[in-house]
Amino acid sequence: MSQGFSKKLFRDLLKTLKMQTEKLIQQLIEQTEQLLTKAEKLKLYNLDHLSWRENENSWNILECLEHLNLYGDFYLPQIESKIKKTNSLPEQEFRKGLFGNYFAKSMLPKVKPNKMKTFKDKDPVHRKLHKSVIDRFINQQVKLLELLNLSKKVNLNKVKIETSISSLIKLKLGDTFQFYINHMIRHFIQIDRLEHLIKNRN
C-alpha cells in the first residue's frame, strides 16, 4: 500500500470521527425525547404485562428499565458534576475518540443482536420491581435532557467521564453521551421485542 493511499485512508477515517457539536447535541436530544415518549407509554400497562418474561433467565420490561436506571445512577451524577466543574469552552467540532466511538457503536442494534455480559451489580433479574421503575427512568431522561442542554456551554472534547468498566478508562463527554444513549436504544429494542411476544403469546 502506497504512503499516499495510507494517508488518504487516515484522512477519511478522521472525517468519519468528526461532527459538528451543535448537530450532535441536537441529535442526542431528539433520541432522548423519543425514549422519554416510549417510557411514558409503558405506564399504561399493568404490572403483569410489565413483569412477563420469555423464560426463567430472561429480563422482563421492568428489569430492562431498572438495568438502565442503574447505569443512570452511575453516569448522570458524574456527568453533571464534570459539566459544572469544567472551565472549558465549547468547540464547533466534536472529534470522536477511537475507544469512545468503538464503545458507542458496539451498543448500536444489529440485525442479529450480539449478546453482552452484564455486570452483576447492573443485573436486575428477579428483583421485586414495581411500576415506580418507569417513573425513575423518566426522571433520569428529564435530567439527561437538562445535561445535554448544559453541555452546549462546555467542551465535549475536553471533559472526560469515567466508565462503569473501570475508573482508569475515561471517555470524552460527547462519546459518553452517545454510548449512554445507544445503550438505552439497544434495550428499548429489547422492550419492543418483549411487547411483540406478549401480544402474540395467546
Side-chain angles (χ1 to χ4, degrees):
M1 185 181 290
S2 68
Q3 187 176 6
F5 190 56
S6 296
K7 286 182 178 179
K8 183 179 182 305
L9 281 176
F10 184 67
R11 284 197 301 270
D12 289 344
L13 173 62
L14 286 179
K15 284 180 184 177
T16 65
L17 295 176
K18 290 180 180 179
M19 189 173 188
Q20 282 190 339
T21 299
E22 186 179 346
K23 184 179 177 182
L24 171 62
I25 293 173
Q26 185 55 40
Q27 174 185 301
L28 296 171
I29 286 173
E30 288 172 5
Q31 289 174 327
T32 303
E33 288 174 340
Q34 289 170 9
L35 291 169
L36 192 49
T37 300
K38 285 176 178 286
E40 289 282 2
K41 289 178 180 177
L42 292 176
K43 292 173 72 174
L44 300 173
Y45 295 123
N46 60 37
L47 193 58
D48 287 342
H49 182 106
L50 297 167
S51 302
W52 183 87
R53 68 181 75 249
E54 186 177 6
N55 58 61
E56 183 64 19
N57 296 313
S58 63
W59 290 353
N60 59 39
I61 293 173
L62 288 181
E63 287 165 348
C64 289
L65 288 175
E66 181 64 6
H67 170 70
L68 297 177
N69 287 340
L70 293 171
Y71 273 94
D73 289 342
F74 177 86
Y75 282 104
L76 294 176
Q78 186 188 171
I79 290 171
E80 182 172 24
S81 174
K82 294 292 177 66
I83 287 176
K84 289 183 175 179
K85 285 180 181 177
T86 184
N87 293 318
S88 66
L89 296 174
E91 289 184 17
Q92 187 175 357
E93 198 170 63
F94 173 65
R95 298 176 298 280
K96 301 177 185 179
L98 290 175
F99 280 117
N101 188 50
Y102 170 78
F103 285 137
K105 281 189 171 181
S106 72
M107 287 295 128
L108 288 172
K110 297 175 175 59
V111 176
K112 186 178 180 182
N114 52 320
K115 290 188 177 181
M116 291 187 172
K117 188 171 179 59
T118 302
F119 292 111
K120 192 174 181 180
D121 65 331
K122 303 291 190 296
D123 188 347
V125 70
H126 298 307
R127 291 189 189 180
K128 190 173 182 179
L129 301 173
H130 302 282
K131 290 181 73 171
S132 57
V133 166
I134 304 173
D135 290 323
R136 195 155 84 90
F137 179 80
I138 288 170
N139 290 337
Q140 287 191 353
Q141 300 319 293
V142 172
K143 171 57 72 173
L144 177 57
L145 287 172
E146 178 190 320
L147 296 177
L148 284 166
N149 280 301
L150 281 176
S151 73
K152 295 174 183 177
K153 300 177 182 179
V154 304
N155 194 319
L156 300 190
N157 294 297
K158 290 186 177 178
V159 176
K160 300 293 176 65
I161 306 296
E162 294 178 6
T163 66
S164 56
I165 299 168
S166 168
S167 59
L168 299 176
I169 302 175
K170 296 181 181 180
L171 303 181
K172 295 179 179 183
L173 178 58
D175 285 328
T176 303
F177 276 135
Q178 287 188 293
F179 163 79
Y180 179 61
I181 291 172
N182 283 355
H183 179 229
M184 291 192 288
I185 290 170
R186 178 187 181 90
H187 284 289
F188 264 82
I189 288 174
Q190 184 181 358
I191 288 171
D192 287 344
R193 178 180 173 275
L194 277 169
E195 287 193 274
H196 178 75
L197 289 172
I198 293 167
K199 288 174 183 176
N200 293 281
R201 59 180 167 160
N202 295 322

